[in-house]
Amino acid sequence: MPAGSSRKRERQYEHIKEGQKQRGASTRRAEEIASRTVNKERAQSGEARRASRTSVRDKPASRRGGERSGNRRGAQGPTRDQLYNEARQRGIEGRSRMDKRQLSRALGR
């Protein structure tokens, strides 16, 4: 946990980490999942100094309820922001003007 984290976030981190371990995740993977979840919660509640656009706009894990767990594809697949980030990593030009369907096609999905 980052320095200056609240006790609530420390407890949340430990709770998520232990839950992941019980589900069979390695210690390292459990720590990663717990860190990402807690950091996202901190960003959404304004506790973090910096926050990505997707962290702030997305639903909190507590409200999402595992909606995108597993392979991160729900009934509608990945979100537009997830597709956009992948397109940015691959260097696809014109991505900022593309909608979800166009991004999906450009990525070959």
Side-chain angles (χ1 to χ4, degrees):
M1 289 296 307
S5 294
S6 68
R7 289 184 178 200
K8 174 184 176 181
R9 297 299 180 201
E10 294 283 346
R11 286 192 312 270
Q12 183 182 28
Y13 172 83
E14 290 300 326
H15 179 74
I16 293 168
K17 186 172 99 174
E18 292 305 316
Q20 289 299 316
K21 281 182 171 179
Q22 288 176 356
R23 291 185 181 139
S26 68
T27 302
R28 188 171 181 172
R29 179 69 177 148
E31 288 173 351
E32 179 184 356
I33 291 169
S35 293
R36 287 175 185 253
T37 304
V38 170
N39 287 339
K40 186 172 186 176
E41 294 282 338
R42 289 179 67 232
Q44 289 174 336
S45 65
E47 296 171 36
R49 289 185 190 162
R50 296 184 332 193
S52 70
R53 182 169 43 121
T54 53
S55 288
V56 176
R57 286 186 180 174
D58 201 16
K59 283 195 259 182
S62 57
R63 283 192 46 222
R64 193 174 63 232
E67 191 173 281
R68 288 193 304 266
S69 62
N71 63 3
R72 300 186 81 177
R73 290 177 174 247
Q76 298 175 356
T79 65
R80 187 222 177 253
D81 285 337
Q82 288 169 334
L83 292 170
Y84 177 85
N85 287 334
E86 186 176 341
R88 186 181 64 204
Q89 289 171 353
R90 291 193 194 179
I92 294 174
E93 292 187 26
R95 64 186 175 266
S96 62
R97 294 182 303 274
M98 294 183 188
D99 61 20
K100 183 176 176 180
R101 184 181 49 81
Q102 292 167 325
L103 282 167
S104 218
R105 222 177 251 157
L107 292 166
R109 294 187 178 208

